[in-house]
Amino acid sequence: MNQHSAFVISEFTNPSGEVVFRVSGWIAGRRIRKNFRTRSEADAERQVLDVRRLHAAGSPVRTAITRLTAEQLRDAELAFGQLQGCKNPLSFYLAFALANDREPEQAMKLGDAIALYVAAKKHEHDQDLIAASTLMRLSRAPDWSTRRAS
């Protein structure tokens, strides 16, 4: 519940006897009063009115209906903040990342990857595809599997 809202929700009995929830407050010198059947509808309208009031006061915040979650909205705002000064739109950079960034098919340790690479090169040497000197250089390479990341 927003305790700092400029709008108040109160129970109100209409002349017909129906109890409703009234949202009331002021935006730019104009009085706002709206009635709702449920408290949740009144809360939603109060949030919309708070954003409108901020917008009228010069804040860049605006109301938008979206299917994005709160976390996705934060990510989108962060992404647009990082793009300030860039000449291309977000969709350009997203398309580039999707086209060029790939997750590894399987994660493996560096030592295992080197052993696999050397085994492949030995196989290529056995098929006379690479020179013996190349294979010899590979065999003289340091043993990376025993080194620790610094």
Side-chain angles (χ1 to χ4, degrees):
M1 189 116 36
N2 187 358
Q3 297 177 355
H4 302 290
S5 175
F7 294 90
V8 176
I9 298 176
S10 56
E11 284 190 25
F12 178 76
T13 304
N14 278 333
S16 66
E18 180 184 16
V19 176
V20 295
F21 295 91
R22 176 175 278 179
V23 178
S24 57
W26 296 83
I27 295 179
R30 197 175 114 234
R31 184 177 183 180
I32 306 290
R33 283 194 319 194
K34 295 183 178 183
N35 295 338
F36 297 91
R37 290 184 183 174
T38 65
R39 175 76 185 204
S40 61
E41 290 173 345
D43 281 333
E45 181 65 16
R46 179 174 61 179
Q47 292 174 6
V48 169
L49 290 170
D50 279 334
V51 172
R52 285 186 188 159
R53 184 183 58 81
L54 289 171
H55 186 67
S59 173
V61 176
R62 68 177 190 81
T63 305
I65 297 173
T66 180
R67 291 183 301 264
L68 298 178
T69 65
E71 183 179 348
Q72 290 171 329
L73 284 172
R74 282 190 298 276
D75 284 346
E77 288 180 347
L78 178 65
F80 280 106
Q82 291 175 338
L83 284 178
Q84 285 183 341
C86 294
K87 66 178 185 172
N88 293 314
L90 175 61
S91 58
F92 172 83
Y93 296 106
L94 178 61
F96 179 83
L98 291 173
N100 294 293
D101 185 41
R102 298 282 184 255
E103 293 292 325
E105 291 181 15
Q106 61 183 18
M108 72 172 58
K109 295 182 179 180
L110 179 60
D112 296 338
I114 291 172
L116 199 62
Y117 177 76
V118 171
K121 293 302 171 184
K122 284 180 183 177
H123 179 71
E124 288 178 11
H125 175 262
D126 293 343
Q127 294 180 335
D128 289 331
L129 297 174
I130 63 171
S133 59
T134 302
L135 187 59
M136 193 167 33
R137 262 182 284 172
L138 287 172
S139 63
R140 284 188 284 172
D143 184 8
W144 292 98
S145 62
T146 59
R147 293 190 179 199
R148 293 181 182 232
S150 47

